[in-house]
Structure formats: structure tokens, C-alpha cells
Amino acid sequence: MNLRDPKQFTEDFMAYVKAKNPGEPEFHQAVLEVVETLSEFLIKNPRFLQSKILERMVEPERVIQFRVPWMDDGGNIHINRGYRVEMNSAIGPYKGGLRFHPTVNLNIFKFLGFEQVLKNSLTSLPMGGGKGGSDFDPKGKSDNEVMRFCQSFMTELSRHIGPDTDIPAGDIGVGGREIGYMFGQYKRLRNEFSGVLTGKGIGWGGSLIRPEATGYGTVYFAEEMLNTRGDSMKGKTVTISGSGNVAQFAVEKVLDLGGKPVSLSDSSGFIYDPDGIDREKLEYIKLLKNVYRGRIREYAEKYDVSYFEKKRPWGIKCDVALPCATQNEISGEEAETLLNNGCFVVAEGANMPSTYEAEHKFLNARILYAPGKAANAGGVAVSGLEMSQNSIRLSWTREEVDEKLKSIMTNIHSMCVKHGKESSGFVNYVKGANIAGFVKVANAMMAQGLV
Ligand code: NDP
């Protein structure tokens, strides 16, 4: 491996990662994005290279894969696959969400777990990184079917997790309902009431502001970036993708700060509401998505706005874009369109929503661009606060948690500026987040010997 030239080092390292992890494109993409921004720093700090910290960080500490059999309402048997990737525990117990979606596989969980390690480090809370879930699709299933699946999933997962070992949370397809069923099963199996999952209901160990945290935090981060240019969210036109947990609360905080959200999407298409999604319409979306579990198309029918089947909202003219659905949902071409239409702020509520090409277009255009591991860290940060409240057996008020969330997002922003500011004054938030997140984990790994 070339230890002198950053570009060559990146190429050599990626050849090593690809050879060891064939057929895992999202994992390769997540590692490449980190290595290319870290290589110069690593060459200047050879102790990390000599200790092979990066080689160790791309190797999960443990990968668990298991069978999840369950029975539907008609008595038919289904077999899904469950996963937990325990990526890194250098600075705390494994922490990261569970995703239930038919498209997941080990590659997706390795990419998410790798990102999670650096993200959790950025929060400044003592949390290692992990990620997991299943190829189960909750869409179209009855509550009883979801419950039976969650119970079967947790029956196996329970032997690998614990409040001081590994503390999962929600992600795509895993919200309050699923967390409740899994928590109930864990409690029954272990005969203990512990903070083994976060995202629990208020009244049984949950934290206020946890449901809001990822969406709110993403918008707080965007506001911090705007402030560096003497600007704010007020009066900005904002495109948002997704219509789940993160997207809903991103809309809410954009409204709080005086912006105008004009789009939402789901995996079938997007709606464009040029008058803006106001609070009343947002309440309808929450009902539609969280209670009736309907499709975003129904919003267009109710409010008589345009619906675009199988399309994404990046062709709409906007100042700010908040991708809040899934990975690789902004292509290079779509990034170009956003830039041509005047978009100058992109804050990622989702994990790795920009393709490699899109990310480089944003960086080259020197806009305010925040990668998910910085912008969406508010979710796991408040999960960390939920763990603290569980440990001291107290609940903080909404205001207290929101204040802590704000200050964590401000702190992450400052760390990105510290490590990502270039001589021209431009802040490369990708580089800043990767270096700041890496250093803390790397130092802990060095101190703990060859682990
Ligand atoms: P939800 O399941 O609540 O919502 C996901 C939304 O994205 C839905 O509207 C869904 O549409 C859409 N979506 C999912 N997969 C696809 C796809 N392949 N193509 C197009 N649209 C898709 O998940 P969250 O809001 O919790 O998560 C959204 C993103 O935010 C994910 O990237 C997640 O990793 C990230 N994130 C979430 C955190 C959290 O606290 N929940 C924390 C940090 C990051 P449909 O219903 O049709 O599938």
C-alpha cells in the first residue's frame, strides 16, 4: 500500500476492501467516501497507519445472521433473514438502528454500520456502532403479523444484545409499533426491564423528542450551515424526500424556522405542493403514514396537487434539499439539476442518500453540503440521551432534551468546521465529519491494544 501519495493510498486501500468484500457496492461506496477524505490526514499521522486502524475499522467486530420464521394471519409460514452487524465497540456499546425492508442484505448493514461508528463518535456520547434488521416488509401486513414477526426476530436477537452490550433502535420500517413488540418480547425472555432498545414509548422508558430528533437535528444542522453565510431557513423553499419518521419531523422544524417545505415522497412517487405543506397538511401526513399506513399519492388527491409516479423530487426549484428517504436517492444528474435550479444547501436526513457522483458535484460546487453522518446524528444522539435517562431512572422534559439535541448538533457542526475548513474558507463538511469521527475511535482503539 502506498503510504506517501493520498490518491494512490485511497486506490490501494479500496482494492484491498473490494478484494475482501466482493459484491458489496454500498459498503465500498461508504468506505471510499471516508478513505478519500482521510488519506492525507493518515499520511500525516502515520501511527494510525502502522497500527492498521483503518483495516481494522472496515472489518466488523462481529456479524450475526439468523433465520426468522413466522406465521401470517392465514396460517402460512414465512421465512425471513435477520442480521446484526456489530461494527465497533471502541468508545461504547454497539448502537444503531434496525431496518425492516425487502431490499436489505449484509452489504447494506455493513455500509450502515460503518457510517454509524463515525456518526456516533461525532455525537460525543459514549456509543459504539452497529446496525441490523431484516428483509421483512411491514407494508401490507396486519398488526398481528408484524407482532409475530417482531417476536420471532427478537427471540434470536435477544441472546446477542443487552443494555451494556448492544442497544438497537428504529430505522426504515421500524417505528414505535415495532420497537414496542420487540421490547415486550425481550422483557419476557430475559425477565428484566432494561433500556435494551431506544425509541421506546413515553411511559415505558422512552425519551421525549426521540421521534422528532433525526428530522429536527437535520434542520438544526442546515440552519447552522446557513448561519455561517449570515443566512437562515426563513423564507427558503425546501424540497424533502421520504414521508416517514425523519421526513415528517424535518417538515415540522422547517415550518418552525419559517421555511416552506414543498415536497414529500415514498417509494412509489412524490407530491409537489407549491403552496407549501403547512401544519394542518402535516398532521394529515402523520395520520396517513403512521396510522392508516397509506401512500403519499393520497395527499395529492386530498389537496389537489401534482403527484409524480416513480419519480423523485429533485427537479423542483428550491433553495434547500433535505433527502430523508434512503441511500443513493440523488443521482449525479439530479444533483446537477438541483444546482442548476439554485439549490445551495443539502443536508442529508437519510444515510448516504447522495451517490458518489452527486456528492462530488455538491462538493465541487462549494455549496453548503452536510453528509448524513453529521446532519442526521441527532437521532442517535437522543437515543444516547434515552439510555442516560434509563440508567438514572429519570425522565427529562421536552425542553431539556431539545436543548441538549440543539447543543449536540451545534457541537458537531463546529467539529466539522474545525476539521473541514480549507484555506479558501470553504468548509468541506464530508472531510470534517470523517476526520473528527475517526480520530476519537482511532485513539480509543490504539489505547485498547490489538483489538
Ligand atoms: P421510515 O420507514 O419512517 O420512512 C422511510 C421513507 O423513505 C418512507 O417514506 C419510504 O417509503 C421511503 N423509502 C424507503 N425506502 C425507499 C426506497 N428504496 N426508495 C424510495 N423511497 C424509499 O424511515 P426513517 O424516516 O426512519 O428513515 C429514513 C432515512 O433516515 C433512512 O436512510 C434512515 O437510515 C435514516 N435515518 C433514520 C434515523 C431515525 O432515527 N429513524 C436516524 C438516522 C438516519 P415507503 O413507505 O414507500 O417505503
Side-chain angles (χ1 to χ4, degrees):
M1 214 166 286
N2 186 310
L3 302 183
R4 287 205 189 86
D5 173 39
K7 207 158 174 265
Q8 191 57 50
F9 171 79
T10 302
E11 273 177 31
D12 292 352
F13 190 83
M14 287 315 300
Y16 162 84
V17 169
K18 285 179 183 170
K20 274 202 105 172
N21 305 275
E24 299 189 346
E26 280 84 1
F27 180 57
H28 301 164
Q29 183 186 339
V31 175
L32 172 61
E33 184 217 276
V34 169
V35 178
E36 70 181 2
T37 54
L38 267 183
S39 53
E40 207 180 312
F41 172 84
L42 288 172
I43 288 169
K44 285 189 192 141
N45 295 273
R47 67 183 194 284
F48 296 129
L49 289 174
Q50 282 145 14
S51 302
K52 299 219 166 162
I53 294 292
L54 209 50
E55 284 88 338
R56 284 195 254 162
M57 279 177 75
V58 296
E59 197 62 42
E61 287 179 17
R62 192 171 300 108
V63 171
I64 300 146
Q65 186 185 309
F66 50 97
R67 177 171 67 206
V68 190
W70 59 280
M71 196 176 277
D72 68 22
D73 292 343
N76 306 300
I77 291 171
H78 299 264
I79 317 293
N80 283 100
R81 195 170 280 175
Y83 302 86
R84 187 70 180 164
V85 174
E86 296 183 332
M87 202 75 193
N88 195 302
S89 61
I91 61 170
Y94 310 105
K95 178 93 197 90
L98 295 171
R99 177 177 293 190
F100 291 170
H101 198 272
T103 58
V104 300
N105 52 43
L106 187 56
N107 149 51
I108 297 290
F109 291 125
K110 281 170 70 179
F111 122 62
L112 290 165
F114 182 71
E115 291 271 296
Q116 195 80 43
V117 173
L118 299 172
K119 181 191 308 190
N120 293 3
S121 165
L122 282 173
T123 66
S124 68
L125 300 174
M127 300 182 289
K131 201 85 189 189
S134 173
D135 58 357
F136 172 75
D137 188 357
K139 277 203 280 293
K141 307 288 189 302
S142 71
D143 283 353
N144 277 329
E145 288 172 331
V146 171
M147 180 179 75
R148 284 196 292 276
F149 172 81
C150 287
Q151 290 179 339
S152 180
F153 180 83
M154 184 50 86
T155 300
E156 175 60 32
L157 187 68
S158 65
R159 67 184 87 219
H160 307 288
I161 62 174
D164 296 314
T165 312
D166 185 350
I167 307 95
D171 191 76
I172 292 178
V174 178
R177 173 182 63 169
E178 291 76 16
I179 293 287
Y181 294 149
M182 288 191 276
F183 181 79
Q185 183 71 351
Y186 182 89
K187 184 163 63 67
R188 187 155 67 143
L189 290 164
R190 291 291 183 93
N191 192 26
E192 66 182 38
F193 192 107
S194 68
V196 70
L197 290 160
T198 56
K200 300 186 287 298
I202 306 303
W204 46 279
S207 174
L208 289 162
I209 302 284
R210 176 60 189 93
E212 293 89 338
T214 311
Y216 277 19
T218 302
V219 180
Y220 288 148
F221 200 94
E223 181 81 345
E224 286 284 340
M225 292 198 294
L226 280 157
N227 289 346
T228 64
R229 296 194 181 175
D231 206 342
S232 76
M233 193 61 80
K234 202 170 166 51
K236 299 287 179 296
T237 299
V238 185
T239 46
I240 301 178
S241 64
S243 48
N245 171 267
V246 180
Q248 290 170 19
F249 289 104
V251 169
E252 192 161 293
K253 192 45 74 180
V254 166
L255 291 172
D256 287 349
L257 298 182
K260 183 164 90 165
V262 294
S263 71
L264 281 172
S265 70
D266 59 24
S267 50
S268 312
F270 79 89
I271 57 104
Y272 172 42
D273 187 341
D275 293 337
I277 300 164
D278 61 19
R279 286 184 202 277
E280 187 203 311
K281 293 170 180 171
L282 175 60
E283 283 318 303
Y284 167 74
I285 288 180
K286 287 183 184 174
L287 210 60
L288 175 70
K289 285 291 171 181
N290 309 343
V291 180
Y292 302 122
R293 300 185 187 274
R295 308 306 297 160
I296 200 68
R297 175 181 29 81
E298 297 167 54
Y299 178 103
E301 287 155 14
K302 182 170 168 70
Y303 293 109
D304 196 20
V305 299
S306 308
Y307 170 70
F308 300 84
E309 181 86 16
K310 288 280 160 225
K311 294 259 166 37
R312 301 188 287 222
W314 314 125
I316 302 169
K317 189 169 165 45
C318 66
D319 307 300
V320 180
L322 305 176
C324 295
T326 192
Q327 65 273 1
N328 290 332
E329 55 164 320
I330 306 182
S331 66
E333 215 173 297
E334 287 166 319
E336 192 83 51
T337 308
L338 278 167
L339 293 168
N340 288 338
N341 282 338
C343 174
F344 70 104
V345 183
V346 177
E348 298 183 340
N351 285 308
M352 208 169 74
S354 306
T355 59
Y356 182 79
E357 293 74 27
E359 175 184 288
H360 283 264
K361 292 219 185 277
F362 295 145
L363 289 172
N364 291 337
R366 295 175 126 48
I367 62 162
L368 297 168
Y369 167 59
K373 64 171 77 71
N376 71 36
V380 74
V382 174
S383 275
L385 301 179
E386 182 173 330
M387 289 162 67
S388 304
Q389 293 170 79
N390 292 161
S391 297
I392 58 174
R393 300 194 189 283
L394 283 175
S395 297
W396 295 327
T397 64
R398 200 179 157 81
E399 291 71 29
E400 276 175 289
V401 181
D402 197 27
E403 262 323 299
K404 287 183 175 37
L405 168 63
K406 258 189 230 156
S407 101
I408 289 171
M409 297 316 294
T410 305
N411 187 40
I412 296 174
H413 181 267
S414 307
M415 286 196 289
C416 290
V417 172
K418 181 176 163 198
H419 293 279
K421 195 166 195 163
E422 296 179 352
S423 49
S424 63
F426 168 68
V427 180
N428 182 333
Y429 286 90
V430 178
K431 184 174 173 188
N434 288 339
I435 295 179
F438 172 82
V439 169
K440 186 174 169 192
V441 177
N443 281 333
M445 289 174 75
M446 300 272 284
Q448 291 169 23
L450 193 50
V451 289

